[in-house]
Amino acid sequence: MWVTQIYAVRDTQDKEAFAELFSHFAPRVKSFLMKSGASHDVAEECAQDVMATLWRKAHMFDPAKASVSTWIFTIARNRRIDMLRKQRRPEPEDLPWGPEAEPDQADAMALQEETDQLGQALAQLPEKQRTLIEKAYFGDLSHSEIAAETGLPLGTIKSRIRLALERLRHAMK
């Protein structure tokens, strides 16, 4: 039933069809968001944003992939996640300014000792594991990029890195 309205919005920007979708789904989306922990105001704002997204992106709806309600509630879920992430970001005035304080001598010594211990632990790893750890952590490559570079299967890369990290954890205790 709702597919027809989505297509009308998509094809002719039909305001009546959108109004039907809005009157049916907006309260349900708002309720869904409030049940997931959003405040009334946040849920209201997010529901409005979801419905505006429906208006702008009706062309992206594919009935072969999901029902209209599933598509709309997926948009709502994603908007809620975006809002939570935005709330967790520090505001610029909360960020520290100026140079960081120098670590005290004891912290610097402890950090140097840990660095030396890690270097020794890395040197004791088997060559195949050490090479992959270096590519992943010092070369900043993803597992897929390492697989493409080395020609090794992705599963092998993940297994070797996991084993190497376990050995390093054990050595650092």
PDB file of all heavy atoms in Angstrom, residues 10 18 20 29 33 35 38 41 50 63 68 74 76 81 117 121 129 135 138 145 160 168:
ATOM      1  N   ARG A  10       8.355  10.033  -5.295  1.00  0.00           N
ATOM      2  CA  ARG A  10       9.548   9.917  -6.125  1.00  0.00           C
ATOM      3  C   ARG A  10       9.330  10.500  -7.516  1.00  0.00           C
ATOM      4  O   ARG A  10      10.153  11.268  -8.006  1.00  0.00           O
ATOM      5  CB  ARG A  10       9.946   8.440  -6.251  1.00  0.00           C
ATOM      6  CG  ARG A  10      11.154   8.206  -7.148  1.00  0.00           C
ATOM      7  CD  ARG A  10      11.333   6.753  -7.487  1.00  0.00           C
ATOM      8  NE  ARG A  10      10.260   6.330  -8.396  1.00  0.00           N
ATOM      9  CZ  ARG A  10      10.052   5.078  -8.768  1.00  0.00           C
ATOM     10  NH1 ARG A  10      10.807   4.122  -8.292  1.00  0.00           N
ATOM     11  NH2 ARG A  10       9.076   4.773  -9.582  1.00  0.00           N
ATOM     12  N   PHE A  18       2.803  12.305   0.124  1.00  0.00           N
ATOM     13  CA  PHE A  18       3.749  12.548   1.208  1.00  0.00           C
ATOM     14  C   PHE A  18       3.006  12.817   2.521  1.00  0.00           C
ATOM     15  O   PHE A  18       3.409  12.320   3.574  1.00  0.00           O
ATOM     16  CB  PHE A  18       4.674  13.720   0.872  1.00  0.00           C
ATOM     17  CG  PHE A  18       5.657  14.015   1.965  1.00  0.00           C
ATOM     18  CD1 PHE A  18       6.721  13.164   2.216  1.00  0.00           C
ATOM     19  CD2 PHE A  18       5.514  15.138   2.759  1.00  0.00           C
ATOM     20  CE1 PHE A  18       7.622  13.421   3.235  1.00  0.00           C
ATOM     21  CE2 PHE A  18       6.404  15.413   3.781  1.00  0.00           C
ATOM     22  CZ  PHE A  18       7.473  14.553   4.018  1.00  0.00           C
ATOM     23  N   GLU A  20       0.154  11.639   3.417  1.00  0.00           N
ATOM     24  CA  GLU A  20      -0.328  10.349   3.927  1.00  0.00           C
ATOM     25  C   GLU A  20       0.803   9.592   4.620  1.00  0.00           C
ATOM     26  O   GLU A  20       0.619   9.043   5.712  1.00  0.00           O
ATOM     27  CB  GLU A  20      -0.897   9.506   2.784  1.00  0.00           C
ATOM     28  CG  GLU A  20      -2.205  10.022   2.218  1.00  0.00           C
ATOM     29  CD  GLU A  20      -2.678   9.184   1.031  1.00  0.00           C
ATOM     30  OE1 GLU A  20      -2.375   7.973   0.984  1.00  0.00           O
ATOM     31  OE2 GLU A  20      -3.347   9.755   0.161  1.00  0.00           O
ATOM     32  N   VAL A  29       7.515   6.853  14.076  1.00  0.00           N
ATOM     33  CA  VAL A  29       8.968   7.038  14.161  1.00  0.00           C
ATOM     34  C   VAL A  29       9.312   7.759  15.465  1.00  0.00           C
ATOM     35  O   VAL A  29      10.248   7.372  16.162  1.00  0.00           O
ATOM     36  CB  VAL A  29       9.490   7.816  12.923  1.00  0.00           C
ATOM     37  CG1 VAL A  29      10.908   8.300  13.138  1.00  0.00           C
ATOM     38  CG2 VAL A  29       9.411   6.948  11.676  1.00  0.00           C
ATOM     39  N   LEU A  33      11.627   6.282  18.454  1.00  0.00           N
ATOM     40  CA  LEU A  33      12.824   6.959  18.934  1.00  0.00           C
ATOM     41  C   LEU A  33      12.756   7.227  20.435  1.00  0.00           C
ATOM     42  O   LEU A  33      13.758   7.085  21.140  1.00  0.00           O
ATOM     43  CB  LEU A  33      13.028   8.262  18.162  1.00  0.00           C
ATOM     44  CG  LEU A  33      13.362   8.075  16.678  1.00  0.00           C
ATOM     45  CD1 LEU A  33      13.252   9.396  15.930  1.00  0.00           C
ATOM     46  CD2 LEU A  33      14.734   7.455  16.504  1.00  0.00           C
ATOM     47  N   LYS A  35      11.114   5.422  22.595  1.00  0.00           N
ATOM     48  CA  LYS A  35      11.296   4.131  23.262  1.00  0.00           C
ATOM     49  C   LYS A  35      12.766   3.717  23.275  1.00  0.00           C
ATOM     50  O   LYS A  35      13.192   2.962  24.136  1.00  0.00           O
ATOM     51  CB  LYS A  35      10.464   3.051  22.580  1.00  0.00           C
ATOM     52  CG  LYS A  35       8.995   3.182  22.883  1.00  0.00           C
ATOM     53  CD  LYS A  35       8.187   2.134  22.157  1.00  0.00           C
ATOM     54  CE  LYS A  35       6.695   2.347  22.385  1.00  0.00           C
ATOM     55  NZ  LYS A  35       5.880   1.450  21.585  1.00  0.00           N
ATOM     56  N   ALA A  38      15.451   8.431  23.302  1.00  0.00           N
ATOM     57  CA  ALA A  38      15.550   9.829  22.896  1.00  0.00           C
ATOM     58  C   ALA A  38      14.536  10.666  23.675  1.00  0.00           C
ATOM     59  O   ALA A  38      13.447  10.199  23.997  1.00  0.00           O
ATOM     60  CB  ALA A  38      15.280   9.959  21.398  1.00  0.00           C
ATOM     61  N   ASP A  41      11.984  16.132  22.540  1.00  0.00           N
ATOM     62  CA  ASP A  41      12.454  17.102  21.547  1.00  0.00           C
ATOM     63  C   ASP A  41      13.363  16.465  20.503  1.00  0.00           C
ATOM     64  O   ASP A  41      13.243  16.738  19.313  1.00  0.00           O
ATOM     65  CB  ASP A  41      13.176  18.258  22.237  1.00  0.00           C
ATOM     66  CG  ASP A  41      12.233  19.102  23.076  1.00  0.00           C
ATOM     67  OD1 ASP A  41      11.012  19.061  22.831  1.00  0.00           O
ATOM     68  OD2 ASP A  41      12.728  19.811  23.973  1.00  0.00           O
ATOM     69  N   VAL A  50      13.801  12.470   9.428  1.00  0.00           N
ATOM     70  CA  VAL A  50      13.547  11.209   8.713  1.00  0.00           C
ATOM     71  C   VAL A  50      12.535  11.432   7.597  1.00  0.00           C
ATOM     72  O   VAL A  50      12.725  10.975   6.464  1.00  0.00           O
ATOM     73  CB  VAL A  50      13.049  10.115   9.690  1.00  0.00           C
ATOM     74  CG1 VAL A  50      12.494   8.912   8.943  1.00  0.00           C
ATOM     75  CG2 VAL A  50      14.174   9.686  10.622  1.00  0.00           C
ATOM     76  N   PRO A  63      11.698  -1.688  -3.302  1.00  0.00           N
ATOM     77  CA  PRO A  63      10.796  -2.651  -2.649  1.00  0.00           C
ATOM     78  C   PRO A  63      11.342  -4.081  -2.659  1.00  0.00           C
ATOM     79  O   PRO A  63      10.880  -4.914  -1.894  1.00  0.00           O
ATOM     80  CB  PRO A  63       9.504  -2.532  -3.451  1.00  0.00           C
ATOM     81  CG  PRO A  63       9.895  -1.952  -4.754  1.00  0.00           C
ATOM     82  CD  PRO A  63      11.110  -1.107  -4.499  1.00  0.00           C
ATOM     83  N   VAL A  68       8.362  -0.526   2.917  1.00  0.00           N
ATOM     84  CA  VAL A  68       8.417   0.912   3.167  1.00  0.00           C
ATOM     85  C   VAL A  68       8.699   1.176   4.638  1.00  0.00           C
ATOM     86  O   VAL A  68       9.556   1.990   4.990  1.00  0.00           O
ATOM     87  CB  VAL A  68       7.106   1.606   2.712  1.00  0.00           C
ATOM     88  CG1 VAL A  68       7.079   3.060   3.161  1.00  0.00           C
ATOM     89  CG2 VAL A  68       6.945   1.509   1.212  1.00  0.00           C
ATOM     90  N   THR A  74      14.686   2.161   9.296  1.00  0.00           N
ATOM     91  CA  THR A  74      16.143   2.067   9.176  1.00  0.00           C
ATOM     92  C   THR A  74      16.744   3.467   9.097  1.00  0.00           C
ATOM     93  O   THR A  74      17.771   3.749   9.726  1.00  0.00           O
ATOM     94  CB  THR A  74      16.537   1.234   7.942  1.00  0.00           C
ATOM     95  OG1 THR A  74      16.000  -0.080   8.091  1.00  0.00           O
ATOM     96  CG2 THR A  74      18.045   1.150   7.784  1.00  0.00           C
ATOM     97  N   ALA A  76      15.405   6.080  10.404  1.00  0.00           N
ATOM     98  CA  ALA A  76      15.242   6.617  11.763  1.00  0.00           C
ATOM     99  C   ALA A  76      16.336   6.092  12.694  1.00  0.00           C
ATOM    100  O   ALA A  76      16.935   6.859  13.463  1.00  0.00           O
ATOM    101  CB  ALA A  76      13.865   6.251  12.308  1.00  0.00           C
ATOM    102  N   ILE A  81      21.448   7.132  15.659  1.00  0.00           N
ATOM    103  CA  ILE A  81      22.868   6.842  15.888  1.00  0.00           C
ATOM    104  C   ILE A  81      23.704   8.079  15.590  1.00  0.00           C
ATOM    105  O   ILE A  81      24.614   8.424  16.347  1.00  0.00           O
ATOM    106  CB  ILE A  81      23.313   5.631  15.033  1.00  0.00           C
ATOM    107  CG1 ILE A  81      22.666   4.349  15.565  1.00  0.00           C
ATOM    108  CG2 ILE A  81      24.835   5.512  15.016  1.00  0.00           C
ATOM    109  CD1 ILE A  81      22.814   3.146  14.663  1.00  0.00           C
ATOM    110  N   GLN A 117      60.497  -2.869  26.167  1.00  0.00           N
ATOM    111  CA  GLN A 117      59.935  -4.210  26.343  1.00  0.00           C
ATOM    112  C   GLN A 117      59.145  -4.622  25.093  1.00  0.00           C
ATOM    113  O   GLN A 117      59.248  -5.757  24.633  1.00  0.00           O
ATOM    114  CB  GLN A 117      59.038  -4.227  27.583  1.00  0.00           C
ATOM    115  CG  GLN A 117      58.503  -5.591  27.947  1.00  0.00           C
ATOM    116  CD  GLN A 117      57.606  -5.549  29.177  1.00  0.00           C
ATOM    117  OE1 GLN A 117      57.313  -4.481  29.723  1.00  0.00           O
ATOM    118  NE2 GLN A 117      57.157  -6.714  29.604  1.00  0.00           N
ATOM    119  N   ALA A 121      59.805  -7.727  22.556  1.00  0.00           N
ATOM    120  CA  ALA A 121      58.743  -8.696  22.275  1.00  0.00           C
ATOM    121  C   ALA A 121      58.505  -8.800  20.765  1.00  0.00           C
ATOM    122  O   ALA A 121      58.308  -9.902  20.242  1.00  0.00           O
ATOM    123  CB  ALA A 121      57.459  -8.294  22.998  1.00  0.00           C
ATOM    124  N   GLN A 129      54.740 -13.258  11.458  1.00  0.00           N
ATOM    125  CA  GLN A 129      53.845 -12.482  12.306  1.00  0.00           C
ATOM    126  C   GLN A 129      54.348 -11.053  12.483  1.00  0.00           C
ATOM    127  O   GLN A 129      53.568 -10.096  12.419  1.00  0.00           O
ATOM    128  CB  GLN A 129      53.692 -13.157  13.669  1.00  0.00           C
ATOM    129  CG  GLN A 129      52.931 -14.461  13.625  1.00  0.00           C
ATOM    130  CD  GLN A 129      52.858 -15.145  14.974  1.00  0.00           C
ATOM    131  OE1 GLN A 129      53.353 -14.639  15.981  1.00  0.00           O
ATOM    132  NE2 GLN A 129      52.241 -16.326  15.005  1.00  0.00           N
ATOM    133  N   LYS A 135      53.222  -4.044   9.259  1.00  0.00           N
ATOM    134  CA  LYS A 135      52.404  -3.464   8.184  1.00  0.00           C
ATOM    135  C   LYS A 135      51.094  -2.900   8.724  1.00  0.00           C
ATOM    136  O   LYS A 135      50.650  -1.827   8.311  1.00  0.00           O
ATOM    137  CB  LYS A 135      52.118  -4.510   7.104  1.00  0.00           C
ATOM    138  CG  LYS A 135      53.315  -4.872   6.244  1.00  0.00           C
ATOM    139  CD  LYS A 135      52.940  -5.919   5.222  1.00  0.00           C
ATOM    140  CE  LYS A 135      54.116  -6.401   4.429  1.00  0.00           C
ATOM    141  NZ  LYS A 135      54.756  -5.393   3.623  1.00  0.00           N
ATOM    142  N   PHE A 138      52.416  -0.164  12.099  1.00  0.00           N
ATOM    143  CA  PHE A 138      53.377   0.892  11.790  1.00  0.00           C
ATOM    144  C   PHE A 138      53.161   1.416  10.371  1.00  0.00           C
ATOM    145  O   PHE A 138      53.374   2.590  10.100  1.00  0.00           O
ATOM    146  CB  PHE A 138      54.816   0.391  11.968  1.00  0.00           C
ATOM    147  CG  PHE A 138      55.090  -0.112  13.365  1.00  0.00           C
ATOM    148  CD1 PHE A 138      55.538  -1.402  13.587  1.00  0.00           C
ATOM    149  CD2 PHE A 138      54.884   0.703  14.464  1.00  0.00           C
ATOM    150  CE1 PHE A 138      55.779  -1.866  14.872  1.00  0.00           C
ATOM    151  CE2 PHE A 138      55.119   0.250  15.753  1.00  0.00           C
ATOM    152  CZ  PHE A 138      55.566  -1.038  15.952  1.00  0.00           C
ATOM    153  N   GLU A 145      44.259  -4.477   2.734  1.00  0.00           N
ATOM    154  CA  GLU A 145      45.402  -3.900   2.007  1.00  0.00           C
ATOM    155  C   GLU A 145      46.638  -4.786   2.154  1.00  0.00           C
ATOM    156  O   GLU A 145      47.389  -4.966   1.190  1.00  0.00           O
ATOM    157  CB  GLU A 145      45.698  -2.490   2.523  1.00  0.00           C
ATOM    158  CG  GLU A 145      44.628  -1.476   2.165  1.00  0.00           C
ATOM    159  CD  GLU A 145      44.777  -0.146   2.886  1.00  0.00           C
ATOM    160  OE1 GLU A 145      45.332  -0.105   4.008  1.00  0.00           O
ATOM    161  OE2 GLU A 145      44.329   0.861   2.318  1.00  0.00           O
ATOM    162  N   ARG A 160      47.315 -14.650  11.809  1.00  0.00           N
ATOM    163  CA  ARG A 160      48.691 -14.352  12.212  1.00  0.00           C
ATOM    164  C   ARG A 160      48.746 -13.097  13.080  1.00  0.00           C
ATOM    165  O   ARG A 160      49.505 -13.050  14.058  1.00  0.00           O
ATOM    166  CB  ARG A 160      49.580 -14.179  10.983  1.00  0.00           C
ATOM    167  CG  ARG A 160      49.887 -15.490  10.303  1.00  0.00           C
ATOM    168  CD  ARG A 160      50.808 -15.317   9.128  1.00  0.00           C
ATOM    169  NE  ARG A 160      50.998 -16.578   8.429  1.00  0.00           N
ATOM    170  CZ  ARG A 160      51.616 -16.700   7.270  1.00  0.00           C
ATOM    171  NH1 ARG A 160      52.101 -15.631   6.662  1.00  0.00           N
ATOM    172  NH2 ARG A 160      51.744 -17.874   6.701  1.00  0.00           N
ATOM    173  N   LEU A 168      52.320 -10.779  22.062  1.00  0.00           N
ATOM    174  CA  LEU A 168      52.776  -9.470  22.576  1.00  0.00           C
ATOM    175  C   LEU A 168      52.115  -9.150  23.918  1.00  0.00           C
ATOM    176  O   LEU A 168      52.776  -8.662  24.835  1.00  0.00           O
ATOM    177  CB  LEU A 168      52.478  -8.369  21.551  1.00  0.00           C
ATOM    178  CG  LEU A 168      53.304  -8.408  20.269  1.00  0.00           C
ATOM    179  CD1 LEU A 168      52.816  -7.362  19.277  1.00  0.00           C
ATOM    180  CD2 LEU A 168      54.786  -8.216  20.561  1.00  0.00           C
TER     181      LEU A 168
END
